[in-house]
Amino acid sequence: MNHFQSHQGFSHSFKENRLTLGLAFPLEAYTGSTPQMDIDDQIKLAKQAEDFGFAALFVRDAPIYDPNFGDVGFLYDPLMFLTYVAANTKTIALGTSSIVTPLRNPLHLAKSAATLDQLSNQRFLFGTATGDRPIEFPAFKVESENRSALYQESISVMKTVWNETFPQIQTEHVALTHGDVVPKPALQDIPVFGTGYSGQTLEWLAKNTDGWLFYPQDVTSQRNLIQKWRHATDTFKPFIQPITIDLSTNPNEAPKPIQGGFRAGRNFIVDYLSAYEAAGVNHIMFGLKYSQRPAAEVIQELGEFVVPKFPAIK
């Protein structure tokens, strides 16, 4: 049995052979690079999502705004923002998709993650990645070609300081010989999810992370990948994917492609989700950037007609 079954965020969001649903901040539709992200509106919508039974809320990480990338990613520091969301919600899981670990010292990151997990009553789902915005690496004086090794180092260091008291750690970028990192997570661990391959093999991710956040692709390709993932893992480790939707007011509207996903009515969305649940996906998070309707309307319709078919785990 996965020891994270007693972790509030993990157990609320993931169960073998089940699909649950989440939303990605910002909870709004917008054009261009920069969302409005009115804090009061975002918290109101987060509470609405929780009340309707969504399992999780996720934020992106973009330390540096690259105007050539086409999207600011997220206005606020993701861990600070999620701490504020945690203070205004009760049960919904709170995740990152994903923190760019090579740009951060793993000791700082371990302390921040453990703090958020404790303040949220163990609701933090820690998505991690190597990063994909070229200007970020020189800005932080990090060699891009080293990011895969830095990613491995980050995961190893964080898992060690969460689990051990006064550990001695000697890596290329960490020399911890005295002292300790506190607080410790309640379970002496936090569920960590890899994003894409993060410069690793599937086997390394299966051994060293607690779940996999992968990109959307056709259902056959996703099923085949999940089968490889299940074969490589020795316990249940969830498979997560995002999808961008533009929910039509016509429940029977057929799907039309949009960037990162599709526009469709809710009946197709239910069929889509059922197919991916059968393929082995355990959680799908919806992005609302390209929606033509207010986020509150979309969350309400999904909450009334779609979420009940894929509810959070009780």
Side-chain angles (χ1 to χ4, degrees):
M1 177 179 175
N2 191 305
H3 71 286
F4 288 119
Q5 290 302 323
S6 59
H7 183 274
Q8 298 300 311
F10 190 98
S11 62
H12 190 63
S13 304
F14 308 120
K15 187 175 182 180
E16 200 163 3
N17 302 317
R18 281 280 305 278
L19 174 69
T20 63
L21 303 178
L23 293 165
F25 285 104
L27 303 177
E28 65 181 86
Y30 64 99
T31 58
S33 295
T34 308
Q36 180 178 352
M37 281 221 69
D38 179 89
I39 293 296
D40 290 340
D41 286 345
Q42 293 298 297
I43 294 300
K44 181 179 179 180
L45 293 169
K47 291 179 177 179
Q48 180 187 19
E50 182 175 63
D51 290 343
F52 273 120
F54 283 88
L57 297 167
F58 284 85
V59 299
R60 296 165 66 187
D61 181 30
I64 301 294
Y65 170 42
D66 182 353
N68 297 315
F69 203 82
D71 196 315
V72 72
F74 195 71
L75 282 183
Y76 302 108
D77 176 86
L79 298 178
M80 292 182 69
F81 180 82
L82 284 182
T83 301
Y84 187 69
V85 177
N88 286 277
T89 54
K90 296 178 181 178
T91 59
I92 197 165
L94 305 170
T96 52
S97 61
S98 293
I99 296 294
V100 183
T101 65
L103 303 181
R104 292 170 169 81
N105 184 286
L107 297 178
H108 279 134
L109 196 51
K111 186 178 185 76
S112 296
T115 299
L116 174 54
D117 196 56
Q118 187 171 113
L119 293 178
S120 67
N121 192 28
Q122 300 174 62
R123 288 189 281 149
F124 182 42
L125 307 175
F126 194 1
T128 59
T130 51
D132 58 2
R133 301 191 177 212
I135 70 167
E136 291 177 341
F137 297 97
F140 287 93
K141 291 191 174 182
V142 172
E143 297 293 334
S144 177
E145 58 268 26
N146 294 337
R147 58 185 177 171
S148 297
L150 288 169
Y151 181 81
Q152 286 193 6
E153 180 185 30
S154 293
I155 303 301
S156 175
V157 169
M158 290 190 295
K159 291 281 189 180
T160 299
V161 300
W162 290 334
N163 183 60
E164 299 179 19
T165 301
F166 295 99
Q168 295 194 9
I169 302 173
Q170 290 291 331
T171 67
E172 185 173 352
H173 301 92
V174 175
L176 182 63
T177 57
H178 297 86
D180 198 6
V181 176
V182 293
K184 302 295 183 185
L187 297 177
Q188 296 182 286
D189 202 359
I190 293 171
V192 171
F193 303 85
T195 302
Y197 283 95
S198 296
Q200 315 304 320
T201 64
L202 183 149
E203 289 72 23
W204 187 92
L205 291 167
K207 180 180 179 180
N208 294 280
T209 67
D210 307 299
W212 202 8
L213 206 166
F214 205 79
Y215 310 104
Q217 56 182 347
D218 68 87
V219 69
T220 300
S221 298
Q222 208 73 307
R223 180 187 297 109
N224 292 338
L225 183 62
I226 292 168
Q227 288 175 351
K228 294 177 181 178
W229 174 248
R230 301 289 182 228
H231 180 74
T233 54
D234 57 3
T235 187
F236 170 59
K237 296 188 176 185
F239 187 97
I240 309 161
Q241 72 166 65
I243 193 71
T244 299
I245 62 167
D246 176 15
L247 179 63
S248 171
T249 55
N250 175 6
N252 297 311
E253 183 170 327
K256 303 178 183 65
I258 61 172
Q259 185 173 337
F262 54 81
R263 170 181 171 81
R266 64 174 184 257
N267 290 332
F268 172 80
I269 290 176
V270 169
D271 291 342
Y272 173 93
L273 296 173
S274 297
Y276 280 81
E277 181 178 51
V281 177
N282 301 112
H283 186 83
I284 289 179
M285 69 184 83
F286 294 125
L288 305 181
K289 176 178 180 178
Y290 300 108
S291 177
Q292 298 180 38
R293 299 168 61 187
E297 286 186 16
V298 175
I299 293 171
Q300 180 175 348
E301 183 171 340
L302 293 173
E304 290 179 353
F305 297 101
V306 179
V307 174
K309 300 179 185 299
F310 311 94
I313 311 301
K314 301 294 186 180

